[in-house]
Amino acid sequence: MVGSVEKYLLEKIEKEGTIHMTLIDPEKVTPSSASRLAKEAEACGTAAIMVGGSTSFSTSHLDDVVKALKESVKIPIILFPNNITGISRYADAIWFMSLINSSDPYFLVGVQVLGAPLIKKFGLEPIPLGYIIVGEGGAVSVVGKAVPIPYNKPELAAAHALAAEYFGMRFIYLEAGSGVGKPVPSEMAQAVKRVTGLPLIVGGGIRTGEQVKKIVEAGADIIVTGTVLEENKGRYKIKELVDSMKGHKKAR
Ligand code: 1GP
């Protein structure tokens, strides 16, 4: 069943083409700095706030950050969990994600089995997501024991995405890794869009309007940025990235 956050995202994609989401790593913020960042991001037109980070493990701190975010903005707060400790009862939704190219069953289905009853208990909206790590991969690749897909093998990324779709997952995330030097190439995003009808999220290493433009033109539905917002302390960079989505033709 499609819940209200998922419906909101799908409608916004339908209306606007490509949308932007802001990622906040709870380890790198205090509740008040997170709240300031989120307010700025919301004012610049970001569609939702995602909360998560590969090495973040304090659930009480996560709860404090998510509570502060909920009090500060109206846009949805979606958890982007790295582990069972990435679940907070105060969020609106959670990416119910499987790391499709992990070599460790824990990240494929193990942690999801542990987390599912908690998600139910907290009444969080689970949004099924196939998570695929590509290129350099960054910290998440090490933590998730992934076998990252090389950038010159877009057909392999497409095969992973198709498998995720056949499993019944409803979104695909091509993850280059937070803070990496080279974001997902257009050819790879295009190859995925060509084989699946699922909404495509692209993130990792996106820093400039020019990079955003290429990913929009490749057909991405959602672009996620985190690091660049921390580095640039907010507003101007978010506005540049969100604005650079407009006026570019998204491939269908
Ligand atoms: C990481 O894709 C996200 O999970 C965002 O990456 O921090 O490089 O923007 P950045």
Side-chain angles (χ1 to χ4, degrees):
M1 213 186 68
V2 173
S4 61
V5 174
E6 185 171 351
K7 199 159 164 274
Y8 158 83
L9 295 177
L10 295 175
E11 284 173 1
K12 212 165 163 59
I13 291 167
E14 183 61 38
K15 200 164 129 225
E16 296 175 18
T18 309
I19 62 173
H20 177 263
M21 284 193 196
T22 299
L23 174 67
I24 292 182
D25 183 340
E27 258 202 339
K28 297 188 182 145
V29 292
T30 60
S32 63
S33 70
S35 143
R36 199 172 52 244
L37 252 183
K39 278 185 192 158
E40 289 178 348
E42 184 181 47
C44 296
T46 203
I49 306 289
M50 288 176 30
V51 186
S54 328
T55 51
S56 152
F57 293 103
S58 164
T59 305
S60 62
H61 178 64
L62 174 70
D63 278 345
D64 291 343
V65 168
V66 174
K67 259 195 270 182
L69 290 171
K70 275 304 291 172
E71 284 161 15
S72 312
V73 294
K74 291 200 174 65
I75 50 176
I77 310 298
I78 308 174
L79 298 169
F80 184 47
N82 60 326
N83 209 327
I84 188 90
T85 46
I87 304 175
S88 167
R89 67 172 79 225
Y90 302 105
D92 298 298
I94 181 164
W95 289 118
F96 194 79
M97 50 203 276
S98 174
L99 176 43
I100 309 291
N101 58 330
S102 177
S103 59
D104 184 341
Y106 182 74
F107 295 103
L108 286 164
V109 71
V111 69
Q112 295 81 352
V113 170
L114 296 175
L118 211 53
I119 291 170
K120 179 109 182 148
K121 187 173 160 207
F122 292 164
L124 292 166
E125 177 186 331
I127 311 177
L129 168 77
Y131 190 50
I132 304 165
I133 297 181
V134 300
E136 199 183 306
V140 67
S141 179
V142 178
V143 173
K145 302 196 176 69
V147 183
I149 300 171
Y151 278 157
N152 63 356
K153 298 283 174 213
E155 70 281 7
L156 266 181
H160 281 69
L162 200 54
E165 179 174 358
Y166 291 165
F167 267 127
M169 292 162 185
R170 297 203 287 263
F171 286 76
I172 300 291
Y173 194 135
L174 283 183
E175 171 69 89
S178 186
V180 295
K182 199 168 172 270
V184 176
S186 322
E187 300 72 36
M188 191 173 254
Q190 264 164 4
V192 168
K193 279 305 280 188
R194 233 176 270 131
V195 297
T196 124
L198 296 181
L200 172 64
I201 307 171
V202 174
I206 300 169
R207 289 181 164 78
T208 66
E210 193 50 37
Q211 291 167 332
V212 166
K213 173 176 177 273
K214 281 194 185 137
I215 297 167
V216 169
E217 287 174 349
D221 300 281
I222 301 178
I223 289 180
V224 178
T225 61
T227 304
V228 82
L229 310 180
E230 295 155 13
E231 285 171 355
N232 287 276
K233 303 279 180 263
R235 179 170 291 243
Y236 300 107
K237 198 68 201 182
I238 307 176
K239 185 144 176 34
E240 180 197 324
L241 296 178
V242 174
D243 284 352
S244 58
M245 284 178 191
K246 297 171 190 149
H248 299 303
K249 211 172 152 34
K250 178 174 151 190
R252 291 269 172 194

